[in-house]
């Protein structure tokens, strides 16, 4: 299964236990927001906080797990050509664009993930803080969170193995040059491939 996610949109799909999801930066410098839910009970979902706590760090390396809000592994990172991702930021949203950036009338990853998850009965309030694939961030000396240009180029990817049956949604992040350097100033495409 191969899927291309157009800029500023999202896509959701089911993964069976053992499936490997490849998330590819097709054009370079593009972030992908990824959320995951237990297929049998979507109240169990990917948790940034428990992923950080259980790995005892704020980033991921090959072999590390993405954990749920019930402290159980959901996905395992099995390949990574970049090594720079984010577990700090929530998905961008219409609220952030209007209230923080002063840009009303825009939608963000939270809305795009919600739209993709609608066929699975997962609503806006359930869209959790994502694993921000390829997002390049840091915490400055003053404690502020910083966003830099991604280090991913065309074809860079991560492979994530499902540790159980999951519903996963991925968005091609909507930030562009009038917000920050999250996507190198231009929103582009993300590719998904599923291998059983």
């Amino acid at each position: 299964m191969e899927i291309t996610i157009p800029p500023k949109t999202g896509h959701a799909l089911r993964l069976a236990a053992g499936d490997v999801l490849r998330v590819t930066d097709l054009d370079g410098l593009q972030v992908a927001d990824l959320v995951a839910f237990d297929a049998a009970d979507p109240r169990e979902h990917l948790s940034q906080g428990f992923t950080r706590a259980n790995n005892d760090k704020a980033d991921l390396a090959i072999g590390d797990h993405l954990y749920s809000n019930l402290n159980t592994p959901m996905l395992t990172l099995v390949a990574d050509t970049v090594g720079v991702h984010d577990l700090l930021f929530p998905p961008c949203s219409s609220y952030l664009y209007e209230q923080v950036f002063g840009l009303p009338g825009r939608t963000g990853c939270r809305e795009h993930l919600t739209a993709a998850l609608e066929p699975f009965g997962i609503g806006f309030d359930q869209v959790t803080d994502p694993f921000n694939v390829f997002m390049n961030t840091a915490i400055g000396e003053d404690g502020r969170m910083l966003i830099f240009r991604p280090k991913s180029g065309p074809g860079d990817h991560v492979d994530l193995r499902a540790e159980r049956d999951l519903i996963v949604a991925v968005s091609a992040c909507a930030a562009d040059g009038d917000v920050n350097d999250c996507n190198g100033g231009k929103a582009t495409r993300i590719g998904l491939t599923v291998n059983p």
Side-chain angles (χ1 to χ4, degrees):
M1 179 190 303
E2 294 187 6
I3 297 153
T4 298
I5 303 175
K8 302 184 181 185
T9 67
H11 185 85
L13 68 161
R14 289 186 181 272
L15 295 179
D19 284 351
V20 174
L21 174 67
R22 173 166 288 184
V23 181
T24 302
D25 184 349
L26 295 175
D27 303 303
L29 305 178
Q30 177 63 44
V31 171
D33 290 31
L34 181 148
V35 293
F37 303 83
D38 185 278
D41 184 358
R43 291 176 298 178
E44 185 172 5
H45 57 78
L46 173 66
S47 167
Q48 275 190 6
F50 287 118
T51 296
R52 292 192 304 267
N54 288 316
N55 288 302
D56 194 27
K57 55 186 175 178
D59 57 7
L60 292 179
I62 292 173
D64 289 342
H65 299 304
L66 289 160
Y67 285 86
S68 79
N69 56 316
L70 299 182
N71 284 303
T72 55
M74 301 190 86
L75 295 153
T76 302
L77 183 63
V78 295
D80 184 356
T81 64
V82 180
V84 177
H85 313 286
D86 173 74
L87 285 168
L88 297 173
F89 279 82
C92 59
S93 66
S94 58
Y95 177 88
L96 283 175
Y97 284 123
E98 181 170 354
Q99 300 298 321
V100 176
F101 300 122
L103 297 169
R106 289 186 54 167
T107 55
C109 288
R110 193 169 187 194
E111 288 81 19
H112 305 156
L113 292 166
T114 299
L117 287 162
E118 184 178 3
F120 298 96
I122 297 172
F124 182 82
D125 60 328
Q126 296 171 278
V127 174
T128 58
D129 293 345
F131 173 40
N132 294 304
V133 184
F134 311 128
M135 189 173 180
N136 183 9
T137 63
I139 298 177
E141 291 183 5
D142 60 358
R144 296 181 67 86
M145 295 192 297
L146 306 173
I147 297 174
F148 304 104
R149 288 169 67 88
K151 295 188 175 183
S152 56
D156 275 323
H157 61 270
V158 298
D159 289 354
L160 298 161
R161 184 183 65 235
E163 299 302 329
R164 67 179 90 174
D165 294 350
L166 298 172
I167 298 165
V168 173
V170 179
S171 64
C173 180
D176 51 31
D178 57 356
V179 174
N180 54 47
D181 218 10
C182 182
N183 296 315
K186 179 182 178 184
T188 57
R189 308 170 300 157
I190 287 291
L192 302 180
T193 308
V194 179
N195 294 302

